[in-house]
Amino acid sequence: MHLLAAAALLLAAVPLRAATIGGRLGYPSEELPGMTVVARNAAGATFVVETRPKQARYRLELPEGRYVVFAIARDTGDPSGKAPRGAHTAYSVCARDKARLKAGRCTTGPLEEVMVTPSRGREDVDIDDWTLPDALAATLVEQDLFAKYPADLNPPPETRSPDFATAPAGADPQRILRAVTRGPFYAGRVAVARWPCGEACENWALVDIATGRIVSLDDAALQPLRGEFPCKKAEALEFSEASRLLRVHRLEGGRVLTRDFVWSYEATRLDAAGESAQSVEEFCQAAARR
């Protein structure tokens, strides 16, 4: 089977089926600060949305599964120098019963796990418990997805020139050779080559300098890249030399869809690692923080 056809079969996409989690935001002061709201699953993967000051509700789109949900308050001027943490806990569930809350029967408790599916989202996952024990609050961090997949930064024993027999149709040999010699690099030893295909349009391919193999994805949702984002610092292709994670972002129907891939050194390919969606505003806020 042709290498490109095989790659297309391996990376065939499963249609995005997002579940939703939402709820009210509370804070122990008169002013509701902006927050970073985080949903974390059992595997430790996190999904994030930023809220504005005085924004009373949040909403997240994420894959179906079980999550705990918490928030990190921003720009509060906390005297301890630490950004306060709040969460959806046993207190949050109790506080929905106003009689129990008024009677003082609601106290902080463990994080409440929330199960969501595409057909059964949750809009009652309130984040209003800000009296968490220090030991618990210290575990509530926004995970760096790229750090979860560290790259092997040791130089390969030998390097090879690009094997243009594995290049996609219409590839730009000069751009590929330039990437191999000048970068940028991904996953330590994989050159990222990009060449224009029109306005706000780029084709791209990866070159493993250890084997010379050129890897490209024959998928209309991934190739070519579309640079149509209405914000600065936003890139359709997100990667790091120190990580095996690569993210492809695409604007579609008023949302930004993201496909995640992890580089396999053994197979010299990208393995699908997940999908997510967020609003354009949320995507641009995250891009501005990079």
Side-chain angles (χ1 to χ4, degrees):
M1 181 181 291
H2 193 282
L3 286 174
L4 294 179
L9 287 175
L10 287 169
L11 294 167
V14 176
L16 180 68
R17 301 183 67 219
T20 59
I21 292 179
R24 297 179 300 203
L25 296 170
Y27 191 73
S29 74
E30 293 183 1
E31 292 291 330
L32 190 64
M35 301 183 191
T36 300
V37 179
V38 183
R40 183 178 67 201
N41 66 18
T46 56
F47 300 84
V48 179
V49 64
E50 305 283 349
T51 69
R52 301 180 301 275
K54 301 181 181 181
Q55 182 176 329
R57 295 190 65 87
Y58 75 94
R59 196 167 191 266
L60 273 163
E61 291 191 356
L62 31 63
E64 66 177 278
R66 294 183 180 276
Y67 297 87
V68 294
V69 186
F70 59 92
I72 304 169
R74 304 192 309 270
D75 304 322
T76 61
D78 187 80
S80 68
K82 298 180 180 179
R85 264 71 169 163
H88 179 71
T89 69
Y91 169 88
S92 308
V93 176
C94 175
R96 281 198 162 256
D97 184 332
K98 299 306 179 185
R100 294 184 67 190
L101 180 63
K102 188 174 182 179
R105 296 169 59 188
C106 299
T107 58
T108 190
L111 301 179
E112 285 286 320
E113 192 175 61
V114 178
M115 176 68 189
V116 289
T117 69
S119 61
R120 187 178 180 184
R122 292 281 300 272
E123 295 291 340
D124 60 349
V125 185
D126 302 338
I127 301 175
D128 52 5
D129 187 354
W130 296 85
T131 59
L132 307 174
D134 290 343
L136 175 58
T139 69
L140 304 183
V141 296
E142 179 186 352
Q143 184 185 35
D144 181 351
L145 282 178
F146 286 88
K148 185 179 177 181
Y149 303 97
D152 180 358
L153 298 179
N154 294 311
E158 61 178 341
T159 60
R160 296 184 180 181
S161 299
D163 179 4
F164 285 102
T166 63
D172 187 325
Q174 291 186 340
R175 296 293 182 108
I176 289 175
L177 287 171
R178 183 184 302 173
V180 169
T181 56
R182 301 182 186 178
F185 289 94
Y186 153 66
R189 70 184 201 194
V190 181
V192 182
R194 301 163 77 158
W195 58 96
C197 53
E199 186 177 355
C201 176
E202 277 189 314
N203 285 308
W204 62 286
L206 305 177
V207 187
D208 180 16
I209 64 173
T211 65
R213 183 179 178 188
I214 300 172
V215 177
S216 179
L217 305 182
D218 187 16
D219 184 325
L222 304 168
Q223 185 82 254
L225 301 173
R226 299 289 183 182
E228 302 166 334
F229 307 111
C231 48
K232 296 179 179 179
K233 295 186 178 181
E235 290 283 348
L237 197 63
E238 189 180 355
F239 59 90
S240 167
E241 186 173 357
S243 174
R244 292 180 294 115
L245 177 67
L246 180 143
R247 314 193 81 194
V248 184
H249 307 295
R250 191 177 189 89
L251 186 63
E252 187 172 312
R255 298 189 303 169
V256 175
L257 308 184
T258 299
R259 297 268 296 278
D260 291 343
F261 298 90
V262 175
W263 182 257
S264 169
Y265 294 112
E266 295 77 12
T268 320
R269 73 181 184 206
L270 289 169
D271 289 330
E275 303 178 359
S276 58
Q278 58 189 316
S279 71
V280 174
E281 181 182 11
E282 293 161 0
F283 174 75
C284 288
Q285 287 175 346
R289 293 166 52 207
R290 294 183 195 127

